[in-house]
Amino acid sequence: QSGAVDGAKAAAAAAEPSGNAEWIVGEGDGDMRALIVVGAKDLRDADFMGGSDPYCIVRLGEKGVPFEDKPRGRGRRSHTVRFSTNPTWKMGMCMDLSELKEPEVSIQVFDKDDYLDGGGVL
């Protein structure tokens, strides 16, 4: 999932759910913004015995740039929640928007041990 982080609007942003991921953009000082990835809901069962072992990766980059092409240095990986299709991460990070014209947050959710579908994207 992706969501725009408009410099002028982000200061007043409340909860911004996007697809299965739940995240919040908070107020910041100047070009800095806080982001909290709360969790995800209703993920598919990716493991052989049911359930999933989800983790997420958050990347910040220019609006419209695919997740894979957003810089890895502007993001964060969550911990893995074992045996869950409704993980809670409560992962926080600070984002520096100063060098971005149209900032966008992208979140991808993966299964830790999903080797069969070629990438484990949930």
Side-chain angles (χ1 to χ4, degrees):
Q1 289 85 32
S2 296
V5 182
D6 184 302
K9 296 179 183 175
E16 293 284 344
S18 178
N20 289 349
E22 298 178 55
W23 50 284
I24 300 168
V25 177
E27 294 186 27
D29 183 24
D31 289 325
M32 297 298 290
R33 296 291 179 270
L35 172 74
I36 300 172
V37 179
V38 178
K41 292 184 178 181
D42 302 323
L43 300 175
R44 68 178 173 86
D45 288 337
D47 292 348
F48 179 70
M49 298 297 287
S52 294
D53 301 312
Y55 66 92
C56 73
I57 296 177
V58 178
R59 291 188 184 160
L60 174 67
E62 291 292 345
K63 185 175 181 178
V65 173
F67 176 83
E68 297 79 18
D69 296 333
K70 284 187 167 60
R72 293 174 186 254
R74 289 190 173 185
R76 188 164 176 202
R77 182 195 189 280
S78 73
H79 67 280
T80 300
V81 178
R82 303 216 0 124
F83 310 115
S84 178
T85 56
N86 297 294
T88 299
W89 294 296
K90 296 182 184 175
M91 176 182 71
M93 62 184 281
C94 290
M95 302 178 297
D96 181 359
L97 309 179
S98 63
E99 297 177 11
L100 299 169
K101 292 179 184 177
E102 290 187 67
E104 179 180 66
V105 172
S106 295
I107 302 171
Q108 289 263 336
V109 180
F110 299 90
D111 184 64
K112 181 176 185 284
D113 51 15
D114 188 358
Y115 302 108
L116 300 178
D117 74 359
V121 176
L122 295 174

